Amino acid sequence: MKIATWNVNSLNVRLGHVLDWLGAEQPEVLALQEIKMTDDRFPLEAFHEAGYEAIFSGQKTYNGVALISRAPAREVIRDIADLEDPARRILGATIDGVRILDLYVVNGQEVGSEKYAHKLHWLDKVTAHIGGELQQHECFVVLGDFNIAPEDRDVHDPAAWHERILCSTPEREALNRLRALGLEDCYRLFDQDPEQYSWWDYRAAGFRRNLGLRIDLILASTAMARKCTRCWIDKAPRKLERPSDHTPVVAEFDVARTPS
DNA sequence: ATGGTTGTTAAACAA
């Protein structure tokens, strides 16, 4: 079972890339972020023609998440308890017996800002929600654009990014509290080449110079992590004409594998 | 080089 995440930075602009990538990679689940469209504009028919189901939670201009899947999504949620948030950043569903939570984590703009405080609060509430999900679902995956680089090795220039947004200690601690619930960063379950990132700023030729951060993550419950056979970053879409600033991250799970 | 680019939506805002 192949599960992927991709911040597409406008599904209107990136639909062709997404459909091409689905055709090439054939994932069972693709979690999208920043689709930037209202639900009435969602290109459902295009996904159906490609052989996929889709659920989505969108809004005008900003944010917006979607789950594209071979199998239908059950028990869908678009909000969580104790978090009043008009921004469409959360989409949960059960697909093929796996509980999936697609997140577009608040960016936070700048350390110390109002948006930064909101990011930490938002992460607290989402962490509490995930604690409940983990009690109900042994097979659980939370994935998306976390807007946090977990460690300095996930940052092209740790000195330049020291205590800056996406890398600050409080953000990393919030991510660690989430992971401490019993979630593994699938990418780090395996040996990986150094300097592998999932996002590069459009500015200053960031991709060409590999000035990136690894902020797009796939976190799996203990039972799911045991089934994870591979996790990688697919840089191919970032090399295309008019790319998203993010590229897909993919994890493969052997769902038939018996937990030992 | 506190710059640079992209997307949405109408000059600014978010990332």
Side-chain angles (χ1 to χ4, degrees):
Chain A
M1 183 179 190
K2 204 186 263 189
I3 300 179
T5 180
W6 191 3
N7 179 324
V8 291
N9 185 23
S10 167
L11 185 55
N12 274 326
V13 174
R14 238 63 68 184
L15 181 60
H17 287 6
V18 172
L19 293 172
D20 288 349
W21 191 81
L22 284 173
E25 296 301 320
Q26 302 280 323
E28 272 63 48
V29 178
L30 172 59
L32 301 178
Q33 304 87 36
E34 283 203 271
I35 63 172
K36 295 186 173 178
M37 56 173 54
T38 49
D39 289 351
D40 59 302
R41 303 279 197 97
F42 190 88
L44 185 57
E45 196 51 44
F47 288 109
H48 283 165
E49 284 169 14
Y52 281 92
E53 309 272 346
I55 57 168
F56 37 90
S57 181
Q59 67 182 96
K60 198 175 176 183
T61 312
Y62 302 121
N63 310 312
V65 284
L67 279 168
I68 316 302
S69 58
R70 286 292 192 202
R74 317 278 188 202
E75 298 174 78
V76 177
I77 62 158
R78 292 178 171 80
D79 289 284
I80 63 167
D82 301 326
L83 180 60
E84 289 276 343
D85 189 5
R88 302 294 77 196
R89 300 177 174 277
I90 295 171
L91 187 57
T94 302
I95 301 169
D96 281 328
V98 180
R99 188 67 186 162
I100 308 272
L101 189 64
D102 177 13
L103 297 183
Y104 173 48
V105 174
V106 175
N107 175 284
Q109 198 160 58
E110 192 182 349
V111 174
S113 68
E114 219 166 278
K115 288 175 179 174
Y116 180 76
H118 174 59
K119 179 180 196 171
L120 296 177
H121 172 78
W122 191 94
L123 284 164
D124 257 10
K125 295 298 183 184
V126 170
T127 298
H129 170 81
I130 291 171
E133 293 269 16
L134 283 166
Q135 291 189 333
Q136 293 171 58
H137 307 281
E138 195 172 62
C139 292
F140 176 80
V141 172
V142 53
L143 75 174
D145 177 359
F146 280 73
N147 270 317
I148 301 171
E151 301 175 67
D152 277 353
R153 61 177 164 164
D154 301 309
V155 180
H156 69 90
D157 185 346
W161 283 84
H162 181 70
E163 294 302 340
R164 302 195 56 156
I165 197 68
L166 315 183
C167 299
S168 74
T169 301
E171 291 167 272
R172 287 176 170 174
E173 286 175 346
L175 180 61
N176 286 338
R177 286 194 293 274
L178 173 60
R179 292 180 52 178
L181 295 174
L183 293 165
E184 299 278 357
D185 181 348
C186 290
Y187 188 75
R188 292 298 178 202
L189 293 173
F190 308 96
D191 287 331
Q192 304 287 0
D193 291 336
E195 294 168 34
Q196 298 296 301
Y197 309 118
S198 66
W199 168 82
W200 301 260
D201 201 308
Y202 283 126
R203 296 166 289 188
F207 183 65
R208 185 179 56 74
R209 300 159 67 199
N210 198 28
L211 308 180
L213 273 63
R214 189 176 71 92
I215 57 177
D216 299 273
L217 309 177
I218 302 176
L219 307 183
S221 63
T222 310
M224 270 311 268
R226 256 190 236 114
K227 300 171 201 284
C228 189
T229 54
R230 201 179 155 213
C231 183
W232 68 98
I233 295 167
D234 184 358
K235 279 197 279 192
R238 190 63 174 78
K239 298 172 183 172
L240 299 173
E241 283 295 312
R242 225 178 160 194
S244 168
D245 45 352
H246 297 248
T247 210
V249 181
V250 193
E252 205 156 45
F253 298 89
D254 180 1
V255 287
R257 184 185 288 192
T258 312
S260 52

